[in-house]
Amino acid sequence: ISEAVAFLTEKNAKVPQQDEATYYQTAQITNDRYISVGSQADTNVIDLTGDDKDDLQRAIALSLEESNRAFRETGITDEEQAISRVLEASIAENKASLKRTHTEVWSDSPNPHDRKRQENCPVGLKNVGNTCWFSAVIQSLFNLLEFQRLVLHYSPPARMQDLPRNQKEHRNLPFMQELRHLFSLLVGSKRKYVDPSRAVEILKDAFKSSESQQVSFCHLHTIIEWGEKPKNPMVDLFYGRFLAVGVLEGKKFENTEMFGQYPLQVNGFKDLHECLEAAMIEGEIESLHSTENSAKSGQEHWFTELPPVLTFELSRFEFNQTLGRPEKIHNKLEFPSMLYMDRYMDRNRDITRIKREEIRRLKEHLTILQQRLERYLSYGSGPKRFPLADVLQYAMEFASSKPVCTSPLEDVDTTALPGGTTAQLPPPHRGAAQQQQRVSIHKPFTQSRVPPDLPMHPAPRHITEEELRVLEGCLHRWRSEVENDTRDLQASISRIHRTIELMYSDKSMMQVPYRLHAVLVHEGQANAGHYWAYIFDPHQQQWMKYNDISVTKSSWEELVRDSFGGYRNASAYCLMYIDDKKPFLIEEEFDKETGQMLSGLDKLPPDLKEYVEADNKLFVREMEEWDTLQARKLQQEKLALAAASVAHDLEFAQEDTPPERDYRLQHVIVYFIHNQAPKKIVERTLLMQFADRNLGFDERCKSIMKVARAKLELIKPDEVNMEEYEMWHQDYRKFRDTTVFLLIGLELFLKKSYVEALMYLIFAYQYNKELLAKGPYRGHDEELIAHYRRECLLKLNEHAAVLFETGEETEVNAGLSIMNELVVACIPLLLVDEMEEKDMVAVEDMRNRWCSYLGQEMEPNLQEKLTDFLPKLLDCSTEIKSFHDPPKLPSYSTLELCERYGQVMTSLTLSRTPADGR
């Protein structure tokens, strides 16, 4: 902890490596003020490891003081400083080749057609090493069309006297130029996604200078030079002002301050307005409104000028004093799509104060009513509470039950217990400890059913008609009174809630509307995570999800699920609202002469248009070269295989297939001969190979092609059954697909990616079984595939059990998800063929692993989850559950397929995990 604080407070601190880099990449992104103590502070290092909350408050105060001082001196806010440190850590982590924590792993497809932009689809940004947060912010800013125009039409200084005079300004120019290039590609590129590496590299170089430690992506005005312009348009877009009115040790003060990204605490609040209300009032504020001089301190914030783009930073980290580390808060926090800021404006100060006082009074009354209601809904003096109306109803049911004249013990035959044994019930006078020994333990899977003749409910032993009549009358009257009181309290509480909700709904307090433009989301914990953004497209009236290279249509419902928190391990960390009365922020540009809306390359200045056109030409050339290369490869492969097949088909066909070199993959003819295909089928297939027009390289090849075509014409239609011919070729295609499923599954298995490997091995086994039904050489070794499919399930089962044993809610749910979605779903596949004894043994091992928990003590919630899950695991049904469509297979050339298949088979031998001893 001391090293971490030292890093945060030292001017020339070194960037942390390895695990530290991962921590700063995620923890600092949201600028939690008590984690980031202020990069400018040289002294007053505060110990955050103790339990004293005053230290934490002083840390927050110091951070605020330092951030205000830093902004006044440099024009750079603490948000920018925090993001600067994040980028440093991100670059350091990339340099150290740390793996990305998000489960989605992708790389550039070698086929440029896979990287081609779909018509009218936005362009994505490639993740160049833990830069998903960079992509989310850049896309949010790019889709602010006014900001986009400012960047695209930025012009560097043209005169010598306007050139930068210091190192910081020298850094800004190349970065701004690169940002223009990046934005222009996002406008007009033919690529599905573009690479921002150059912009990141420029920033990385900037970090080598102690003078340039802070860089902001949320407020890029700090890196844009606007020549002699008296005002900076970026400041106008993102920065506003607020008035701080307060009392410090009895003395009143009033200061105007500038703000950019406005920080809001999340913990303890249910919606955005509650966060804002808390942020606008700090400390004891009563003395502000009184004439008496007191020693109390506090302040209120009132916005005097709001920016067109209003950004809120949601602080979702808190420091765990016990564990000595920050933790991510994913509590639910609602925010509206339309936000009215009137109540926070300085011009509405008086009316807002009146309304706040009224809300405070209503909430006090609401608290009293809720306490009274709670006494009705949770009645009782013991640890267990019940609704009072239900208690009275139960009493009425007991009194109204038919009286019984015998003791409940007299109805039980105590001489014969289940299982044929005899015993005596302990007499009432024996000690409690002795009786407790005979109390049976509840076993959810072996509990006996209740005897049918046992009375359903206890009943009074003796009660007269008069007693019953009086008691029923009282209980009925009391229950009615309780129900009426409960309804009245609930109605009053609802009315107060509604009154509070409508407190600011009059038109005078709805004059400053801000519409939600973008939501930046973080998924994960303080030490790892992934970032993406939801951005509203006003022209399509559609929410879009920007997730690195992937840009897809989304919905408000999906945004709510991922952003509010409380649903899964994801929540919003930044909200970007735009002034709904300033449509120029998101309006498209129109041609002044024609009046037509500008789109694509027409939006760009001449230099950027030329830049994008040049890049598009390179991409088109790349696709053309790819097509030419693939055509040449295909021709060469067909010629080589056709020639080789003539010389070696019979030789290969007579040999047993070694595991690492399956000759059947090298040519269809080998497969046919191995499987004793009809001679006419083999002959026609061979002639079709030589008759392919792509083999016409030279005169010699052309002469062979002509001979093959002539022979094909001599074959009469009734000599070859074309349905049978097509069937054999379909089998060979299925054999190749089975091979691809198998080799990808085995590659993933060797990498211990068992979840991904399982699906490939399942379909490999299924396809292979269908082939082997037609002949022993139609497919691969069935026991080999069965072994690795079985091993995959066993390893997933063990991993899920280990997660369950942690007892942590997130880990337990993840383990049960693996079991329900993968293991349980696959067990029928192992049981359907009872001849495979090893599969049966594996199923029993998996079931025994979970049944072993039955006799163990565990928390009630774990016991409940286990009780709910076990019947699914123990289901003996062999009904095969439907799986999704098989994974999409890549297209391999014959050479690539043979090489990869040989490599994976060799790796299996070297890894010493052979199937069934082979």
Side-chain angles (χ1 to χ4, degrees):
I1 295 300
S2 61
E3 290 177 3
V5 175
F7 168 77
L8 293 170
T9 56
E10 185 177 343
K11 275 187 178 180
N12 299 318
K14 294 182 179 180
V15 176
Q17 299 295 324
Q18 301 293 332
D19 294 339
E20 291 181 345
T22 308
Y23 162 75
Y24 285 104
Q25 191 248 338
T26 54
Q28 297 287 356
I29 189 70
T30 54
N31 178 36
D32 199 338
R33 292 182 185 270
Y34 56 80
I35 297 176
S36 172
V37 187
S39 62
Q40 303 296 325
D42 296 321
T43 58
N44 300 326
V45 177
I46 294 174
D47 180 14
L48 300 182
T49 61
D51 294 330
D52 189 354
K53 292 185 178 178
D54 290 339
D55 280 349
L56 187 58
Q57 294 299 326
R58 288 198 297 275
I60 298 171
L62 176 61
S63 178
L64 289 169
E65 178 184 345
E66 290 298 330
S67 66
N68 290 335
R69 181 170 67 83
F71 179 77
R72 287 193 296 271
E73 293 176 358
T74 65
I76 301 171
T77 66
D78 59 337
E79 291 91 351
E80 299 166 35
Q81 298 168 20
I83 294 177
S84 168
R85 287 191 292 275
V86 173
L87 188 61
E88 283 190 88
S90 178
I91 293 169
E93 183 169 294
N94 189 33
K95 184 181 274 187
S97 301
L98 292 181
K99 290 185 178 179
R100 187 175 166 198
T101 55
H102 185 51
T103 55
E104 177 191 359
V105 179
W106 54 266
S107 57
D108 285 332
S109 169
N111 185 349
H113 292 281
D114 295 337
R115 295 180 267 118
K116 185 178 179 181
R117 179 183 182 181
Q118 300 298 314
E119 188 176 359
N120 298 324
C121 183
V123 178
L125 284 172
K126 182 181 177 181
N127 189 314
V128 293
N130 295 301
T131 55
C132 46
W133 63 274
F134 170 84
S135 302
V137 175
I138 287 294
Q139 292 284 20
S140 301
L141 295 174
F142 172 78
N143 281 278
L144 282 169
L145 299 186
E146 179 64 13
F147 181 88
Q148 182 189 119
R149 285 188 285 270
L150 288 173
V151 172
L152 292 175
H153 294 282
Y154 163 76
S155 299
R159 299 177 301 174
M160 285 294 295
Q161 56 266 35
D162 294 334
L163 289 175
R165 293 181 293 276
N166 58 52
Q167 186 176 2
K168 175 183 174 183
E169 293 173 345
H170 270 294
R171 177 205 66 197
N172 296 344
L173 288 177
F175 182 82
M176 194 58 209
Q177 288 289 77
E178 188 55 37
L179 191 64
R180 291 182 74 235
H181 290 159
L182 191 59
F183 271 30
S184 66
L185 290 174
L186 291 176
V187 168
S189 178
K190 290 185 177 181
R191 303 176 190 266
K192 183 179 180 180
Y193 55 89
V194 294
D195 190 333
S197 296
R198 179 60 186 151
V200 176
E201 283 296 320
I202 292 174
L203 292 175
K204 182 180 70 172
D205 293 338
F207 289 137
K208 296 177 181 177
S209 167
S210 60
E211 186 180 332
S212 54
Q213 290 183 2
Q214 295 86 22
V215 180
S216 169
F217 291 106
C218 293
H219 313 298
L220 286 172
H221 71 279
T222 58
I223 53 175
I224 299 177
E225 301 298 332
W226 294 97
E228 295 179 348
K229 292 183 180 180
K231 293 187 69 178
N232 187 327
M234 290 297 171
V235 175
D236 294 340
L237 265 186
F238 294 104
Y239 272 79
R241 296 180 183 275
F242 66 82
L243 189 67
V245 182
V247 174
L248 181 62
E249 297 179 354
K251 296 181 180 180
K252 293 188 177 182
F253 66 87
E254 194 170 293
N255 298 322
T256 299
E257 298 186 30
M258 223 173 160
F259 74 92
Q261 192 173 3
Y262 202 82
L264 297 174
Q265 290 294 327
V266 169
N267 207 10
F269 305 109
K270 68 176 184 179
D271 59 41
L272 187 62
H273 277 299
E274 284 193 359
C275 295
L276 275 166
E277 289 283 351
M280 303 301 277
I281 301 177
E282 298 178 7
E284 298 289 340
I285 205 66
E286 289 83 357
S287 56
L288 284 173
H289 315 309
S290 65
T291 56
E292 298 179 5
N293 189 14
S294 69
K296 293 182 178 179
S297 298
Q299 64 173 319
E300 289 178 331
H301 290 177
W302 298 96
F303 293 119
T304 57
E305 181 183 347
L306 288 175
V309 182
L310 181 58
T311 308
F312 296 114
E313 171 237 321
L314 304 182
S315 182
R316 284 187 170 272
F317 288 92
E318 69 177 7
F319 194 83
N320 188 315
Q321 298 280 0
T322 305
L323 299 178
R325 67 188 184 199
E327 290 184 341
K328 187 71 187 292
I329 303 168
H330 285 299
N331 296 352
K332 184 176 182 181
L333 183 83
E334 298 180 0
F335 48 84
S337 58
M338 185 66 73
L339 176 69
Y340 294 95
M341 294 293 294
D342 304 73
R343 70 185 80 174
Y344 311 108
M345 304 301 295
D346 182 55
R347 61 175 178 264
N348 296 325
R349 192 194 304 186
D350 293 336
I351 188 171
T352 298
R353 281 176 174 169
I354 293 173
K355 288 181 179 292
R356 283 178 180 171
E357 177 59 28
E358 177 64 14
I359 289 175
R360 186 192 64 78
R361 187 187 64 79
L362 287 171
K363 286 186 175 180
E364 287 180 354
H365 186 45
L366 184 64
T367 301
I368 295 172
L369 294 179
Q370 287 173 332
Q371 289 174 349
R372 290 178 180 174
L373 178 62
E374 184 65 18
R375 295 186 187 123
Y376 281 93
L377 297 180
S378 298
Y379 184 80
S381 57
K384 291 187 177 181
R385 308 292 181 91
F386 302 94
L388 180 53
D390 290 350
V391 172
L392 294 171
Q393 176 65 27
Y394 299 154
M396 191 182 301
E397 291 174 359
F398 174 77
S400 303
S401 299
K402 183 180 178 181
V404 296
C405 300
T406 60
S407 166
L409 293 176
E410 296 176 13
D411 292 339
V412 181
D413 180 4
T414 62
T415 62
L417 294 180
T421 61
T422 61
Q424 286 187 344
L425 292 174
H429 65 271
R430 291 188 182 178
Q434 186 176 357
Q435 291 190 36
Q436 189 174 3
Q437 293 176 1
R438 294 181 175 273
V439 176
S440 60
I441 299 174
H442 176 67
K443 297 181 179 179
F445 301 106
T446 61
Q447 188 75 9
S448 300
R449 293 187 177 181
V450 177
D453 56 345
L454 190 68
M456 293 302 295
H457 301 289
R461 198 74 58 81
H462 303 288
I463 186 169
T464 66
E465 292 292 334
E466 181 65 24
E467 289 173 336
L468 180 60
R469 186 168 58 254
V470 172
L471 186 57
E472 283 186 336
C474 292
L475 290 172
H476 182 75
R477 183 177 71 253
W478 296 338
R479 185 167 182 266
S480 298
E481 292 172 357
V482 168
E483 288 177 341
N484 290 334
D485 291 346
T486 302
R487 279 195 296 268
D488 291 344
L489 286 168
Q490 290 171 333
S492 297
I493 290 172
S494 296
R495 282 195 299 272
I496 293 176
H497 277 301
R498 185 64 176 160
T499 302
I500 293 174
E501 289 175 2
L502 298 176
M503 189 63 69
Y504 294 98
S505 62
D506 51 288
K507 288 187 178 180
S508 64
M509 299 299 283
M510 299 176 71
Q511 299 302 308
V512 189
Y514 273 77
R515 185 179 59 76
L516 188 62
H517 164 70
V519 179
L520 280 66
V521 179
H522 172 253
E523 179 184 39
Q525 291 301 324
N527 61 347
H530 179 57
Y531 298 84
W532 67 89
Y534 290 102
I535 304 172
F536 188 70
D537 184 337
H539 308 289
Q540 297 187 55
Q541 291 294 300
Q542 173 79 52
W543 281 99
M544 304 292 291
K545 182 178 181 180
Y546 288 78
N547 189 358
D548 287 337
I549 67 171
S550 172
V551 183
T552 56
K553 289 184 177 181
S554 185
S555 64
W556 175 253
E557 290 72 25
E558 184 182 6
L559 182 153
V560 166
R561 185 193 67 194
D562 287 350
S563 307
F564 278 11
Y567 174 75
R568 63 187 183 118
N569 209 25
S571 55
Y573 73 93
C574 184
L575 306 176
M576 193 177 289
Y577 284 88
I578 57 176
D579 192 335
D580 202 43
K581 290 187 175 182
K582 295 179 179 176
F584 70 89
L585 293 169
I586 52 173
E587 276 185 347
E588 292 284 0
E589 201 172 353
F590 289 84
D591 187 276
K592 295 179 180 178
E593 297 181 359
T594 64
Q596 297 291 321
M597 186 179 76
L598 299 178
S599 62
L601 296 178
D602 294 335
K603 297 172 67 173
L604 303 178
D607 64 320
L608 292 181
K609 186 175 183 179
E610 183 178 343
Y611 172 79
V612 176
E613 286 177 339
D615 185 74
N616 285 340
K617 287 180 180 177
L618 286 175
F619 185 59
V620 170
R621 188 184 309 159
E622 184 182 351
M623 289 189 288
E624 292 173 349
E625 290 175 353
W626 170 268
D627 294 340
T628 301
L629 179 62
Q630 297 308 306
R632 185 180 299 119
K633 279 185 176 181
L634 182 63
Q635 290 174 348
Q636 292 174 349
E637 185 177 283
K638 285 186 175 181
L639 179 61
L641 289 173
S645 66
V646 174
H648 302 292
D649 278 352
L650 292 175
E651 178 185 348
F652 286 163
Q654 303 306 317
E655 295 182 13
D656 288 332
T657 302
E660 68 279 357
R661 189 179 183 188
D662 194 328
Y663 298 129
R664 295 172 299 173
L665 292 173
Q666 297 186 10
H667 201 277
V668 63
I669 294 297
V670 180
Y671 183 84
F672 285 176
I673 295 176
H674 260 289
N675 288 284
Q676 299 179 346
K679 183 180 178 181
K680 290 292 183 180
I681 300 293
V682 175
E683 183 183 39
R684 180 177 178 84
T685 302
L686 197 58
L687 289 173
M688 289 292 291
Q689 297 285 323
F690 283 106
D692 193 329
R693 63 170 56 90
N694 290 320
L695 300 181
F697 296 111
D698 51 29
E699 291 303 321
R700 178 171 171 270
C701 294
K702 287 180 181 178
S703 63
I704 296 174
M705 182 179 67
K706 290 178 181 178
V707 172
R709 288 184 176 180
K711 286 186 173 291
L712 279 172
E713 291 176 359
L714 293 176
I715 299 176
K716 298 178 181 179
D718 58 345
E719 290 182 5
V720 178
N721 186 330
M722 293 306 295
E723 290 183 2
E724 185 182 15
Y725 177 88
E726 184 58 29
M727 181 200 70
W728 277 95
H729 282 271
Q730 286 177 357
D731 283 355
Y732 186 66
R733 285 193 290 270
K734 177 171 282 191
F735 172 71
R736 284 177 64 100
D737 287 347
T738 303
T739 306
V740 176
F741 277 127
L742 178 58
L743 76 87
I744 294 178
L746 293 176
E747 286 172 345
L748 291 167
F749 181 90
L750 290 171
K751 294 177 183 177
K752 299 184 179 180
S753 300
Y754 303 120
V755 172
E756 295 84 355
L758 182 60
M759 280 300 107
Y760 286 97
L761 293 173
I762 285 173
F763 283 99
Y765 187 92
Q766 177 184 326
Y767 280 31
N768 195 66
K769 193 175 186 67
E770 295 171 5
L771 287 171
L772 293 180
K774 297 183 178 182
Y777 294 101
R778 294 291 185 107
H780 293 282
D781 184 352
E782 188 174 27
E783 291 184 20
L784 176 96
I785 306 176
H787 171 82
Y788 285 100
R789 182 182 67 168
R790 186 166 58 244
E791 285 296 308
C792 235
L793 286 169
L794 287 169
K795 291 184 181 298
L796 287 172
N797 185 77
E798 181 59 25
H799 177 58
V802 170
L803 291 174
F804 182 84
E805 289 171 359
T806 64
E808 297 292 333
E809 181 74 9
T810 305
E811 306 290 324
V812 169
N813 290 339
L816 292 179
S817 177
I818 290 173
M819 293 302 298
N820 285 318
E821 296 175 14
L822 297 175
V823 178
V824 171
C826 291
I827 281 181
L829 296 176
L830 274 63
L831 295 177
V832 71
D833 188 0
E834 296 181 357
M835 298 300 292
E836 186 54 62
E837 183 181 352
K838 293 179 181 179
D839 282 350
M840 301 285 290
V841 172
V843 171
E844 288 307 310
D845 288 345
M846 289 187 281
R847 288 172 171 172
N848 291 338
R849 181 73 167 89
W850 289 88
C851 288
S852 65
Y853 294 129
L854 289 176
Q856 300 180 22
E857 293 184 1
M858 62 181 67
E859 294 293 331
N861 64 318
L862 290 182
Q863 182 68 51
E864 182 180 350
K865 291 177 184 291
L866 183 65
T867 304
D868 179 67
F869 159 68
L870 271 179
K872 303 173 187 175
L873 182 65
L874 299 176
D875 183 11
C876 295
S877 171
T878 57
E879 179 183 355
I880 305 297
K881 297 175 177 60
S882 61
F883 286 90
H884 297 297
D885 292 335
K888 187 176 180 181
L889 295 179
S891 178
Y892 294 134
S893 67
T894 296
L895 182 61
E896 290 173 320
L897 182 59
C898 291
E899 285 182 352
R900 290 189 63 172
Y901 183 79
Q903 289 169 0
V904 75
M905 288 300 170
T906 303
S907 298
L908 292 182
T909 304
L910 296 175
S911 66
R912 296 185 179 275
T913 56
D916 301 327
R918 281 190 294 280

